[in-house]
C-alpha cells in the first residue's frame, strides 16, 4: 500500500513529501526549498517517520542546503537507515562535493519509481 505525506516548515521555506510502500519496503523523500539549521527539522522528521532500512532522497528541488542538511543525512545514515541521494540539485551537489561525501550518498541507478508523484499528498504542519 502506497502512502504519501507532506511536512512543511512553518516558515514555508522548506517541505518534504514522503512516499512509502510498506509492502515492498520502498521509501522516497522529495525535499523542496531551502534547508538550513532552522528548517532541516522537517527532513529529519520525515526520515524518522519512514522507519525503513533504506530511504531514497530525491534532491532535485532543493534550492539551498547547508551543513545542517548534511548533518541529518549523515546522522540518519549512521544510525541504521541507509540514505541514498538522487538527482542532486546544484546546491546539494556543491555541498556533497565540498564535504567529500558525494560517494557516501550518491548511487547510480537509485531513483523513485516513475509512477510515484508529488500530487495528492496529505499535508502535515511541522516547524
Amino acid at each position: 500500500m502506497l502512502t504519501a505525506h507532506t511536512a512543511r516548515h512553518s516558515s514555508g521555506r522548506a517541505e518534504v513529501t514522503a512516499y512509502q510502500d510498506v509492502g515492498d519496503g520502498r521509501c522516497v523523500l522529495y525535499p523542496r526549498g531551502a534547508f538550513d539549521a532552522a528548517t532541516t527539522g522537517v527532513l529529519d522528521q520525515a526520515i524518522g517517520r519512514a522507519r525503513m532500512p533504506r530511504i531514497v532522497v530525491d534532491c532535485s528541488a532543493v534550492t539551498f542546503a547547508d551543513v545542517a542538511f548534511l548533518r541529518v543525512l549523515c546522522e540518519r545514515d549512521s544510525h541504521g537507515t541507509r540514505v541514498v541521494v538522487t538527482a542532486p540539485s546544484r546546491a546539494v551537489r556543491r555541498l556533497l562535493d565540498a564535504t567529500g561525501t558525494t560517494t557516501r550518498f550518491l548511487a547510480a541507478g537509485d531513483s523513485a519509481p516513475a509512477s510515484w508523484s508529488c500530487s495528492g499528498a496529505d499535508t502535515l504542519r511541522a516547524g
Side-chain angles (χ1 to χ4, degrees):
M1 180 171 126
L2 181 65
T3 61
H5 299 280
T6 298
R8 284 189 188 92
H9 187 267
S10 59
S11 69
R13 294 185 305 128
E15 69 180 38
V16 178
T17 299
Y19 287 88
Q20 186 170 347
D21 189 335
V22 178
D24 68 7
R26 289 187 293 180
C27 182
V28 181
L29 303 182
Y30 295 91
R32 286 185 296 280
F35 290 86
D36 56 22
T39 60
T40 302
V42 295
L43 177 63
D44 191 39
Q45 291 170 4
I47 294 173
R49 180 180 181 169
R51 295 189 183 115
M52 293 289 217
R54 184 172 175 278
I55 295 175
V56 175
V57 183
D58 180 321
C59 292
S60 59
V62 175
T63 58
F64 176 82
D66 70 5
V67 70
F69 182 87
L70 182 62
R71 180 181 42 79
V72 167
L73 297 180
C74 288
E75 286 178 359
R76 291 296 183 165
D77 191 62
S78 296
H79 291 99
T81 299
R82 174 68 180 118
V83 177
V84 177
V85 171
T86 63
S89 66
R90 177 183 282 176
V92 172
R93 173 64 80 166
R94 187 172 36 236
L95 176 65
L96 297 177
D97 288 347
T99 58
T101 55
T102 303
T103 57
R104 177 176 178 175
F105 292 109
L106 293 184
D110 282 313
S111 62
S115 62
W116 295 13
S117 70
C118 289
S119 62
D122 296 326
T123 300
L124 304 173
R125 293 271 176 206

